[in-house]
Coordinates of all heavy atoms in Angstrom, one line a residue:
M1 N 6.2 -16.8 -10.4 CA 6.3 -15.4 -10.0 C 6.9 -15.2 -8.6 O 6.5 -15.9 -7.7 CB 4.9 -14.8 -10.1 CG 4.8 -13.4 -9.7 SD 3.2 -12.6 -9.7 CE 2.2 -13.4 -10.8
T2 N 7.9 -14.3 -8.5 CA 8.5 -14.1 -7.3 C 7.7 -13.2 -6.5 O 6.7 -12.6 -6.9 CB 9.9 -13.4 -7.4 OG1 9.7 -12.1 -7.9 CG2 10.8 -14.2 -8.3
K3 N 8.0 -13.1 -5.1 CA 7.1 -12.2 -4.3 C 7.2 -10.8 -4.7 O 6.3 -10.1 -4.6 CB 7.6 -12.4 -2.8 CG 7.3 -13.8 -2.3 CD 7.8 -14.0 -0.9 CE 7.4 -15.4 -0.4 NZ 7.8 -15.5 1.0
K4 N 8.4 -10.3 -5.1 CA 8.5 -9.0 -5.5 C 7.7 -8.7 -6.8 O 7.1 -7.6 -7.0 CB 10.0 -8.6 -5.7 CG 10.7 -8.5 -4.4 CD 12.1 -8.0 -4.6 CE 12.8 -7.9 -3.3 NZ 14.1 -7.3 -3.3
E5 N 7.7 -9.7 -7.7 CA 6.9 -9.5 -8.9 C 5.4 -9.4 -8.6 O 4.7 -8.8 -9.3 CB 7.2 -10.7 -9.9 CG 8.5 -10.6 -10.5 CD 8.8 -11.9 -11.4 OE1 8.3 -12.9 -11.1 OE2 9.5 -11.7 -12.4
Y6 N 5.0 -10.1 -7.5 CA 3.6 -10.1 -7.2 C 3.1 -8.6 -7.0 O 2.1 -8.2 -7.5 CB 3.3 -10.9 -5.9 CG 1.9 -10.7 -5.4 CD1 0.8 -11.2 -6.0 CD2 1.7 -9.8 -4.3 CE1 -0.4 -11.0 -5.5 CE2 0.4 -9.6 -3.8 CZ -0.7 -10.2 -4.5 OH -1.9 -10.0 -4.0
I7 N 3.9 -7.8 -6.3 CA 3.5 -6.5 -6.0 C 3.6 -5.6 -7.3 O 2.7 -4.9 -7.5 CB 4.3 -5.9 -4.8 CG1 4.0 -6.6 -3.6 CG2 4.1 -4.4 -4.7 CD1 4.7 -6.2 -2.3
S8 N 4.6 -5.8 -8.1 CA 4.7 -5.0 -9.3 C 3.6 -5.4 -10.3 O 3.2 -4.6 -11.1 CB 6.1 -5.1 -9.9 OG 6.2 -6.4 -10.4
K9 N 3.1 -6.6 -10.2 CA 2.0 -7.1 -11.1 C 0.6 -7.0 -10.4 O -0.4 -7.5 -11.0 CB 2.3 -8.4 -11.6 CG 3.5 -8.5 -12.5 CD 3.8 -9.9 -12.9 CE 5.2 -9.9 -13.6 NZ 5.2 -10.4 -14.9
L10 N 0.6 -6.5 -9.2 CA -0.7 -6.4 -8.5 C -1.8 -5.6 -9.4 O -1.4 -4.6 -9.9 CB -0.5 -5.7 -7.2 CG -1.7 -5.5 -6.3 CD1 -2.1 -6.9 -5.7 CD2 -1.4 -4.6 -5.1
K11 N -2.9 -6.2 -9.4 CA -4.0 -5.5 -10.2 C -4.9 -4.7 -9.2 O -5.0 -5.0 -8.0 CB -4.9 -6.6 -10.9 CG -4.1 -7.4 -11.9 CD -5.0 -8.3 -12.7 CE -4.2 -8.9 -13.8 NZ -4.1 -10.3 -13.8
F12 N -5.5 -3.7 -9.8 CA -6.3 -2.8 -9.0 C -7.5 -3.6 -8.3 O -7.8 -3.3 -7.1 CB -6.9 -1.7 -9.8 CG -7.6 -0.7 -9.0 CD1 -7.0 0.2 -8.2 CD2 -9.0 -0.6 -9.1 CE1 -7.7 1.1 -7.4 CE2 -9.7 0.3 -8.4 CZ -9.0 1.2 -7.5
E13 N -8.0 -4.6 -9.0 CA -9.1 -5.4 -8.4 C -8.7 -6.1 -7.2 O -9.3 -6.2 -6.2 CB -9.7 -6.4 -9.4 CG -10.4 -5.7 -10.6 CD -9.3 -5.1 -11.6 OE1 -8.2 -5.6 -11.7 OE2 -9.8 -4.3 -12.4
E14 N -7.4 -6.6 -7.2 CA -6.8 -7.3 -6.0 C -6.5 -6.3 -4.9 O -6.8 -6.7 -3.7 CB -5.5 -8.0 -6.5 CG -5.7 -9.1 -7.5 CD -4.4 -9.5 -8.2 OE1 -3.4 -8.7 -8.2 OE2 -4.3 -10.7 -8.6
F15 N -6.1 -5.2 -5.3 CA -5.9 -4.1 -4.2 C -7.2 -3.7 -3.5 O -7.2 -3.5 -2.4 CB -5.3 -2.9 -4.9 CG -4.9 -1.8 -4.0 CD1 -3.9 -1.9 -3.0 CD2 -5.6 -0.6 -4.0 CE1 -3.6 -0.9 -2.2 CE2 -5.3 0.5 -3.2 CZ -4.3 0.3 -2.2
M16 N -8.3 -3.7 -4.3 CA -9.6 -3.4 -3.7 C -10.0 -4.4 -2.7 O -10.6 -4.1 -1.7 CB -10.7 -3.3 -4.9 CG -10.5 -2.1 -5.8 SD -10.8 -0.5 -5.0 CE -12.6 -0.8 -4.7
I17 N -9.7 -5.7 -3.0 CA -10.1 -6.8 -2.1 C -9.3 -6.6 -0.8 O -9.8 -6.7 0.3 CB -9.7 -8.1 -2.7 CG1 -10.7 -8.4 -3.9 CG2 -9.8 -9.2 -1.7 CD1 -10.4 -9.6 -4.7
L18 N -8.0 -6.2 -0.9 CA -7.2 -5.9 0.3 C -7.8 -4.8 1.1 O -7.8 -4.8 2.3 CB -5.8 -5.6 -0.1 CG -5.0 -6.8 -0.6 CD1 -3.6 -6.3 -1.2 CD2 -4.8 -7.8 0.5
L19 N -8.2 -3.7 0.4 CA -8.8 -2.6 1.1 C -10.0 -3.0 1.9 O -10.2 -2.6 3.0 CB -9.1 -1.5 0.1 CG -8.0 -0.8 -0.5 CD1 -8.5 0.3 -1.4 CD2 -7.0 -0.2 0.5
N20 N -10.8 -3.9 1.3 CA -12.0 -4.4 2.0 C -11.7 -5.2 3.2 O -12.2 -5.1 4.3 CB -12.9 -5.2 1.1 CG -13.7 -4.2 0.1 OD1 -13.9 -3.1 0.4 ND2 -13.9 -4.8 -1.1
E21 N -10.7 -6.1 3.0 CA -10.2 -6.9 4.1 C -9.6 -6.2 5.3 O -9.8 -6.6 6.5 CB -9.2 -8.0 3.6 CG -9.8 -9.0 2.7 CD -8.7 -10.0 2.2 OE1 -7.6 -10.0 2.7 OE2 -9.1 -10.8 1.3
F22 N -9.0 -5.0 5.0 CA -8.4 -4.2 6.0 C -9.3 -3.0 6.4 O -8.8 -2.1 7.2 CB -7.0 -3.7 5.6 CG -5.9 -4.8 5.7 CD1 -5.7 -5.7 4.7 CD2 -5.1 -4.8 6.8 CE1 -4.8 -6.7 4.8 CE2 -4.1 -5.8 6.9 CZ -4.0 -6.8 5.9
D23 N -10.5 -3.1 6.0 CA -11.6 -2.1 6.3 C -11.1 -0.7 6.0 O -11.2 0.2 6.9 CB -11.9 -2.3 7.8 CG -13.2 -1.5 8.2 OD1 -14.1 -1.4 7.2 OD2 -13.3 -1.1 9.3
I24 N -10.6 -0.5 4.8 CA -10.1 0.9 4.4 C -11.1 1.4 3.4 O -11.3 0.9 2.3 CB -8.7 0.8 3.9 CG1 -7.7 0.3 4.9 CG2 -8.3 2.2 3.3 CD1 -6.4 0.0 4.4
E25 N -11.7 2.6 3.7 CA -12.7 3.2 2.8 C -12.2 4.6 2.5 O -12.1 5.4 3.4 CB -14.1 3.2 3.5 CG -14.6 1.9 3.7 CD -16.0 2.0 4.4 OE1 -16.7 3.0 4.1 OE2 -16.4 1.0 5.0
I26 N -11.9 4.8 1.2 CA -11.5 6.1 0.7 C -12.1 6.3 -0.7 O -12.7 5.4 -1.3 CB -10.0 6.2 0.6 CG1 -9.4 5.1 -0.2 CG2 -9.4 6.3 2.0 CD1 -7.9 5.3 -0.5
D27 N -12.0 7.6 -1.2 CA -12.5 7.9 -2.5 C -11.8 7.1 -3.6 O -10.6 6.7 -3.4 CB -12.3 9.4 -2.8 CG -13.0 10.3 -1.9 OD1 -14.0 9.8 -1.2 OD2 -12.8 11.5 -1.9
E28 N -12.5 6.9 -4.7 CA -12.0 6.1 -5.8 C -10.7 6.6 -6.3 O -9.7 5.9 -6.6 CB -13.1 6.0 -6.9 CG -12.8 4.9 -7.8 CD -13.2 3.5 -7.3 OE1 -13.8 3.4 -6.3 OE2 -12.6 2.5 -7.8
H29 N -10.6 8.0 -6.6 CA -9.4 8.5 -7.1 C -8.2 8.4 -6.2 O -7.1 8.2 -6.6 CB -9.6 10.0 -7.6 CG -9.6 10.9 -6.5 ND1 -10.7 11.2 -5.7 CD2 -8.6 11.8 -6.0 CE1 -10.4 12.1 -4.8 NE2 -9.1 12.5 -5.0
L30 N -8.4 8.4 -4.9 CA -7.4 8.2 -3.9 C -6.9 6.7 -3.9 O -5.7 6.4 -3.7 CB -7.8 8.6 -2.5 CG -8.1 10.1 -2.2 CD1 -8.6 10.3 -0.8 CD2 -6.8 10.9 -2.6
K31 N -7.8 5.8 -4.1 CA -7.5 4.4 -4.2 C -6.5 4.2 -5.3 O -5.5 3.5 -5.2 CB -8.7 3.6 -4.5 CG -9.7 3.5 -3.3 CD -10.9 2.6 -3.7 CE -11.9 2.7 -2.5 NZ -13.1 2.0 -2.8
Y32 N -6.7 4.8 -6.5 CA -5.8 4.7 -7.6 C -4.5 5.3 -7.3 O -3.4 4.7 -7.6 CB -6.4 5.4 -8.9 CG -7.4 4.5 -9.6 CD1 -8.7 4.8 -9.5 CD2 -7.0 3.4 -10.4 CE1 -9.7 4.0 -10.2 CE2 -7.9 2.6 -11.0 CZ -9.2 2.9 -10.9 OH -10.2 2.1 -11.5
K33 N -4.4 6.5 -6.7 CA -3.1 7.1 -6.3 C -2.3 6.3 -5.4 O -1.2 6.1 -5.6 CB -3.4 8.5 -5.7 CG -3.8 9.6 -6.7 CD -3.9 10.9 -5.9 CE -3.8 12.0 -6.8 NZ -3.8 13.3 -6.1
I34 N -3.0 5.8 -4.3 CA -2.2 5.0 -3.3 C -1.8 3.6 -3.9 O -0.7 3.2 -3.6 CB -3.1 4.9 -2.1 CG1 -3.2 6.3 -1.4 CG2 -2.4 3.9 -1.1 CD1 -4.2 6.4 -0.3
F35 N -2.7 3.1 -4.7 CA -2.4 1.8 -5.4 C -1.1 1.9 -6.2 O -0.2 1.1 -6.1 CB -3.6 1.4 -6.3 CG -3.3 0.3 -7.3 CD1 -3.0 -1.0 -6.9 CD2 -3.2 0.6 -8.6 CE1 -2.7 -2.0 -7.8 CE2 -2.9 -0.4 -9.5 CZ -2.7 -1.7 -9.1
H36 N -1.0 2.9 -7.0 CA 0.2 3.1 -7.9 C 1.4 3.4 -7.0 O 2.5 3.0 -7.4 CB -0.1 4.2 -8.9 CG -1.0 3.8 -10.0 ND1 -0.7 2.8 -10.9 CD2 -2.3 4.1 -10.3 CE1 -1.7 2.5 -11.7 NE2 -2.7 3.3 -11.3
M37 N 1.2 4.2 -6.0 CA 2.4 4.5 -5.1 C 2.9 3.3 -4.5 O 4.1 3.0 -4.4 CB 1.9 5.5 -4.1 CG 3.0 6.1 -3.2 SD 3.3 5.1 -1.7 CE 1.7 4.9 -1.1
I38 N 2.1 2.4 -3.9 CA 2.5 1.1 -3.3 C 3.1 0.2 -4.3 O 4.2 -0.4 -4.1 CB 1.3 0.5 -2.6 CG1 0.9 1.2 -1.3 CG2 1.7 -1.0 -2.3 CD1 -0.3 0.7 -0.6
K39 N 2.5 0.1 -5.5 CA 2.9 -0.8 -6.5 C 4.3 -0.4 -7.1 O 5.1 -1.2 -7.4 CB 1.9 -0.8 -7.7 CG 2.2 -1.7 -8.7 CD 1.0 -1.8 -9.7 CE 1.3 -2.6 -10.9 NZ 0.2 -2.9 -11.7
N40 N 4.6 0.9 -7.1 CA 5.9 1.4 -7.7 C 6.9 1.7 -6.7 O 8.0 2.2 -7.1 CB 5.6 2.6 -8.6 CG 4.7 2.2 -9.8 OD1 4.8 1.2 -10.3 ND2 3.7 3.1 -10.1
N41 N 6.7 1.5 -5.4 CA 7.7 1.8 -4.4 C 8.0 0.7 -3.4 O 8.0 0.9 -2.2 CB 7.2 3.1 -3.7 CG 7.3 4.3 -4.6 OD1 8.3 4.8 -4.9 ND2 6.1 4.8 -4.9
S42 N 8.3 -0.5 -3.9 CA 8.5 -1.6 -3.1 C 9.7 -1.3 -2.2 O 9.8 -1.8 -1.0 CB 8.6 -2.9 -3.9 OG 9.7 -2.8 -4.8
Y43 N 10.7 -0.6 -2.7 CA 11.9 -0.3 -1.9 C 11.6 0.5 -0.6 O 12.1 0.1 0.5 CB 12.9 0.5 -2.7 CG 14.2 0.8 -2.0 CD1 15.2 -0.2 -1.9 CD2 14.5 2.0 -1.4 CE1 16.4 0.0 -1.2 CE2 15.6 2.2 -0.7 CZ 16.6 1.2 -0.6 OH 17.8 1.5 0.1
A44 N 10.7 1.4 -0.7 CA 10.3 2.2 0.5 C 9.5 1.3 1.4 O 9.4 1.6 2.6 CB 9.5 3.4 0.0
I45 N 8.8 0.4 1.0 CA 8.0 -0.5 1.8 C 8.9 -1.4 2.7 O 8.7 -1.5 3.9 CB 7.0 -1.4 1.1 CG1 5.9 -0.5 0.4 CG2 6.4 -2.5 1.9 CD1 5.0 -1.2 -0.6
V46 N 10.0 -1.9 2.1 CA 10.9 -2.8 2.8 C 11.8 -2.1 3.7 O 12.1 -2.6 4.8 CB 11.7 -3.6 1.8 CG1 12.8 -4.4 2.4 CG2 10.9 -4.5 0.9
N47 N 12.3 -0.9 3.4 CA 13.3 -0.2 4.2 C 12.6 0.8 5.1 O 12.0 1.8 4.7 CB 14.2 0.5 3.2 CG 15.0 -0.5 2.4 OD1 15.8 -1.3 3.0 ND2 14.8 -0.5 1.2
D48 N 12.7 0.5 6.4 CA 12.1 1.3 7.4 C 12.5 2.8 7.3 O 11.7 3.7 7.6 CB 12.4 0.8 8.8 CG 11.7 -0.5 9.0 OD1 10.7 -0.8 8.4 OD2 12.3 -1.3 9.9
E49 N 13.7 3.1 6.8 CA 14.2 4.5 6.7 C 13.4 5.3 5.7 O 13.3 6.5 5.8 CB 15.7 4.5 6.3 CG 16.6 3.7 7.1 CD 16.7 2.2 6.5 OE1 16.9 2.0 5.3 OE2 16.6 1.3 7.3
Y50 N 12.7 4.6 4.8 CA 12.0 5.3 3.7 C 10.5 5.1 3.9 O 9.7 5.7 3.2 CB 12.4 4.8 2.3 CG 13.9 5.1 2.1 CD1 14.9 4.2 2.2 CD2 14.3 6.4 1.7 CE1 16.2 4.5 1.9 CE2 15.6 6.8 1.5 CZ 16.5 5.7 1.6 OH 17.8 6.1 1.4
Q51 N 10.0 4.3 4.7 CA 8.6 4.0 4.8 C 7.9 5.2 5.3 O 6.7 5.4 4.9 CB 8.3 2.8 5.8 CG 6.9 2.4 5.7 CD 6.6 1.1 6.5 OE1 7.6 0.4 6.9 NE2 5.4 0.8 6.7
F52 N 8.5 6.2 6.0 CA 7.8 7.4 6.4 C 7.4 8.2 5.2 O 6.4 8.9 5.3 CB 8.8 8.2 7.4 CG 9.8 9.0 6.6 CD1 9.6 10.3 6.2 CD2 11.0 8.3 6.3 CE1 10.6 11.0 5.5 CE2 12.0 9.1 5.7 CZ 11.8 10.4 5.3
V53 N 8.0 8.0 4.1 CA 7.7 8.8 2.9 C 6.3 8.3 2.4 O 5.4 9.1 2.1 CB 8.7 8.6 1.8 CG1 8.2 9.3 0.5 CG2 10.1 9.2 2.2
I54 N 6.1 7.0 2.4 CA 4.8 6.5 2.0 C 3.7 6.9 3.0 O 2.6 7.3 2.6 CB 4.9 4.9 2.0 CG1 5.8 4.5 0.8 CG2 3.5 4.3 1.9 CD1 6.1 3.0 0.7
E55 N 4.0 6.8 4.3 CA 3.1 7.2 5.3 C 2.7 8.6 5.2 O 1.5 9.0 5.3 CB 3.7 6.9 6.7 CG 3.8 5.4 7.0 CD 4.5 5.1 8.3 OE1 4.6 6.0 9.1 OE2 4.9 4.0 8.5
N56 N 3.7 9.5 5.0 CA 3.4 10.9 4.8 C 2.5 11.2 3.6 O 1.6 12.0 3.7 CB 4.6 11.8 4.8 CG 5.3 11.9 6.1 OD1 4.6 11.8 7.2 ND2 6.6 12.2 6.1
Y57 N 2.8 10.6 2.5 CA 2.0 10.7 1.3 C 0.6 10.3 1.6 O -0.4 11.1 1.2 CB 2.6 9.8 0.2 CG 1.9 9.9 -1.1 CD1 2.0 10.9 -2.0 CD2 1.0 8.8 -1.5 CE1 1.4 11.0 -3.2 CE2 0.4 8.8 -2.7 CZ 0.5 9.9 -3.5 OH -0.2 10.0 -4.7
I58 N 0.4 9.2 2.2 CA -1.0 8.7 2.5 C -1.7 9.6 3.5 O -2.9 10.0 3.3 CB -1.0 7.2 3.0 CG1 -0.5 6.3 1.8 CG2 -2.4 6.8 3.5 CD1 -0.2 4.9 2.3
K59 N -0.9 10.0 4.5 CA -1.6 11.0 5.5 C -2.0 12.2 4.9 O -3.0 12.8 5.2 CB -0.6 11.2 6.6 CG -1.2 11.9 7.8 CD -0.2 12.2 8.9 CE 0.6 11.0 9.4 NZ 1.6 11.3 10.4
N60 N -1.2 12.8 3.9 CA -1.6 14.0 3.3 C -2.8 13.9 2.4 O -3.5 14.8 2.1 CB -0.4 14.5 2.5 CG 0.7 15.1 3.3 OD1 0.5 15.6 4.4 ND2 1.9 15.1 2.8
L61 N -3.0 12.7 1.8 CA -4.1 12.4 1.0 C -5.4 12.1 1.8 O -6.5 12.4 1.3 CB -3.8 11.3 0.1 CG -2.9 11.5 -1.1 CD1 -2.7 10.2 -1.9 CD2 -3.3 12.6 -2.0
T62 N -5.2 11.5 2.9 CA -6.4 11.0 3.7 C -6.5 11.7 5.0 O -6.7 12.8 5.1 CB -6.4 9.5 3.7 OG1 -5.2 9.0 4.5 CG2 -6.4 8.8 2.4
S63 N -6.3 10.8 6.1 CA -6.3 11.3 7.5 C -5.3 10.4 8.3 O -4.9 9.4 7.8 CB -7.7 11.2 8.0 OG -8.1 9.8 8.1
D64 N -5.1 10.9 9.5 CA -4.2 10.0 10.4 C -4.8 8.6 10.6 O -4.1 7.7 10.6 CB -4.0 10.7 11.7 CG -3.1 11.9 11.6 OD1 -2.3 12.0 10.7 OD2 -3.2 12.8 12.6
F65 N -6.1 8.6 10.8 CA -6.8 7.3 11.1 C -6.7 6.4 9.9 O -6.3 5.2 10.0 CB -8.3 7.6 11.4 CG -9.1 6.3 11.7 CD1 -8.9 5.6 12.8 CD2 -10.0 5.8 10.8 CE1 -9.6 4.5 13.1 CE2 -10.7 4.7 11.0 CZ -10.5 4.0 12.2
T66 N -7.0 6.9 8.7 CA -6.8 6.1 7.5 C -5.4 5.7 7.2 O -5.1 4.5 6.8 CB -7.5 6.8 6.3 OG1 -8.8 7.1 6.5 CG2 -7.4 6.0 5.0
C67 N -4.5 6.6 7.4 CA -3.1 6.3 7.2 C -2.7 5.2 8.2 O -1.9 4.3 7.7 CB -2.3 7.6 7.5 SG -0.5 7.3 7.3
Q68 N -3.1 5.1 9.4 CA -2.8 4.0 10.3 C -3.3 2.7 9.8 O -2.6 1.7 9.9 CB -3.3 4.3 11.7 CG -2.6 5.4 12.4 CD -1.1 5.2 12.4 OE1 -0.6 4.2 12.8 NE2 -0.3 6.2 12.0
K69 N -4.5 2.7 9.1 CA -5.0 1.5 8.5 C -4.1 1.0 7.4 O -3.9 -0.2 7.2 CB -6.4 1.7 8.1 CG -7.5 1.8 9.2 CD -8.9 1.9 8.6 CE -9.9 1.7 9.7 NZ -11.2 1.6 9.1
F70 N -3.7 2.0 6.6 CA -2.8 1.6 5.5 C -1.4 1.1 6.0 O -0.8 0.2 5.4 CB -2.5 2.8 4.6 CG -3.5 2.9 3.4 CD1 -4.5 3.8 3.4 CD2 -3.4 2.0 2.3 CE1 -5.4 3.9 2.4 CE2 -4.3 2.1 1.3 CZ -5.3 3.0 1.3
C71 N -1.0 1.7 7.1 CA 0.3 1.2 7.7 C 0.2 -0.3 8.1 O 1.1 -1.1 8.0 CB 0.7 2.1 8.9 SG 1.3 3.7 8.4
V72 N -1.0 -0.6 8.7 CA -1.2 -2.0 9.1 C -1.2 -2.9 7.8 O -0.6 -3.9 7.8 CB -2.6 -2.2 9.8 CG1 -2.9 -3.6 10.0 CG2 -2.5 -1.4 11.1
L73 N -1.9 -2.4 6.7 CA -1.9 -3.2 5.5 C -0.4 -3.3 4.9 O -0.1 -4.4 4.6 CB -2.7 -2.4 4.5 CG -2.7 -3.0 3.0 CD1 -3.2 -4.4 2.9 CD2 -3.5 -2.0 2.1
I74 N 0.3 -2.3 4.9 CA 1.6 -2.3 4.4 C 2.5 -3.2 5.2 O 3.2 -4.1 4.7 CB 2.3 -0.9 4.3 CG1 1.6 -0.1 3.2 CG2 3.8 -0.9 4.1 CD1 1.9 1.3 3.2
N75 N 2.5 -3.1 6.6 CA 3.4 -3.8 7.5 C 3.0 -5.3 7.6 O 3.8 -6.1 7.9 CB 3.5 -3.2 8.8 CG 4.2 -1.9 8.7 OD1 5.2 -1.8 8.1 ND2 3.8 -0.9 9.4
H76 N 1.7 -5.6 7.5 CA 1.3 -7.0 7.7 C 1.0 -7.8 6.4 O 0.8 -9.0 6.5 CB 0.1 -7.0 8.6 CG 0.4 -6.6 10.0 ND1 0.3 -5.3 10.5 CD2 0.9 -7.3 11.1 CE1 0.7 -5.2 11.7 NE2 1.0 -6.4 12.1
Y77 N 1.0 -7.1 5.3 CA 0.7 -7.8 4.0 C 1.8 -7.6 3.1 O 2.4 -8.6 2.7 CB -0.7 -7.3 3.4 CG -1.0 -8.2 2.3 CD1 -1.6 -9.5 2.4 CD2 -0.8 -7.7 1.0 CE1 -1.8 -10.2 1.3 CE2 -1.1 -8.4 -0.2 CZ -1.6 -9.7 0.0 OH -1.9 -10.5 -1.1
F78 N 2.1 -6.3 2.7 CA 3.1 -6.1 1.6 C 4.5 -6.3 2.1 O 5.3 -6.9 1.4 CB 2.9 -4.7 1.1 CG 1.7 -4.5 0.2 CD1 0.7 -3.7 0.7 CD2 1.6 -5.2 -1.0 CE1 -0.5 -3.5 -0.1 CE2 0.4 -5.1 -1.8 CZ -0.6 -4.2 -1.3
K79 N 4.9 -5.8 3.3 CA 6.3 -5.9 3.7 C 6.7 -7.4 3.9 O 7.8 -7.7 3.4 CB 6.4 -5.1 5.1 CG 7.8 -4.9 5.4 CD 7.8 -3.9 6.6 CE 9.2 -3.4 6.9 NZ 9.3 -2.3 7.8
P80 N 5.9 -8.3 4.5 CA 6.3 -9.7 4.6 C 6.6 -10.3 3.1 O 7.4 -11.1 3.0 CB 5.2 -10.3 5.3 CG 4.6 -9.3 6.1 CD 4.7 -8.1 5.2
L81 N 5.8 -9.8 2.2 CA 6.0 -10.4 0.8 C 7.4 -10.0 0.3 O 8.0 -10.7 -0.6 CB 4.9 -9.9 -0.1 CG 3.6 -10.4 0.0 CD1 2.6 -9.7 -1.0 CD2 3.6 -12.0 -0.3
L82 N 7.9 -8.8 0.6 CA 9.1 -8.3 0.1 C 10.3 -8.7 0.8 O 11.4 -8.7 0.3 CB 9.0 -6.8 0.0 CG 7.9 -6.2 -1.0 CD1 7.8 -4.7 -0.8 CD2 8.3 -6.6 -2.4
N83 N 10.2 -9.1 2.1 CA 11.3 -9.5 2.9 C 11.7 -10.9 2.6 O 11.1 -11.8 3.2 CB 11.0 -9.3 4.4 CG 11.1 -7.9 4.8 OD1 11.8 -7.1 4.3 ND2 10.3 -7.5 5.8
V84 N 12.5 -11.1 1.7 CA 12.9 -12.4 1.3 C 14.4 -12.6 1.5 O 15.2 -11.7 1.6 CB 12.6 -12.8 -0.2 CG1 11.1 -12.9 -0.3 CG2 13.1 -11.7 -1.1

């Protein structure tokens, strides 16, 4: 499995583990929304010009504080997987 395939095949249970590791606590339905957004938008994760779209989406669903935690998750976990 390639690194890009890992994100597209990411399971919700694995995503939950990541949320725990990065100390992110949000409502269950928001977890699903953000999970699917990350899983289906790897291009926006890799390209800094589009990453603001993901950040704005998360910020609108949660808060600035939670959004910053997700930014750390994206930049330190998902983005390195996609930069090949």
Side-chain angles (χ1 to χ4, degrees):
M1 176 180 337
T2 67
K3 292 178 178 184
K4 288 186 180 187
E5 287 176 327
Y6 169 76
I7 291 177
S8 67
K9 294 179 187 233
L10 182 69
K11 294 184 172 120
F12 185 71
E13 294 79 20
E14 297 166 334
F15 184 68
M16 293 291 295
I17 292 169
L18 289 171
L19 294 181
N20 287 333
E21 288 179 11
F22 283 83
D23 194 30
I24 300 172
E25 296 182 25
I26 54 174
D27 294 347
E28 198 71 22
H29 76 282
L30 292 178
K31 289 177 186 176
Y32 280 104
K33 283 182 159 186
I34 295 172
F35 166 70
H36 288 292
M37 186 271 312
I38 288 174
K39 187 173 174 172
N40 296 321
N41 291 290
S42 60
Y43 182 80
I45 291 171
V46 173
N47 296 293
D48 293 332
E49 310 87 48
Y50 297 102
Q51 191 171 347
F52 77 94
V53 174
I54 292 174
E55 291 174 14
N56 284 338
Y57 178 78
I58 294 171
K59 191 183 304 181
N60 287 334
L61 290 176
T62 61
S63 66
D64 288 337
F65 181 73
T66 303
C67 180
Q68 289 307 310
K69 286 185 171 188
F70 269 105
C71 288
V72 170
L73 170 65
I74 290 168
N75 289 319
H76 292 94
Y77 185 79
F78 289 113
K79 196 171 191 171
L81 286 175
L82 296 172
N83 285 330
V84 289

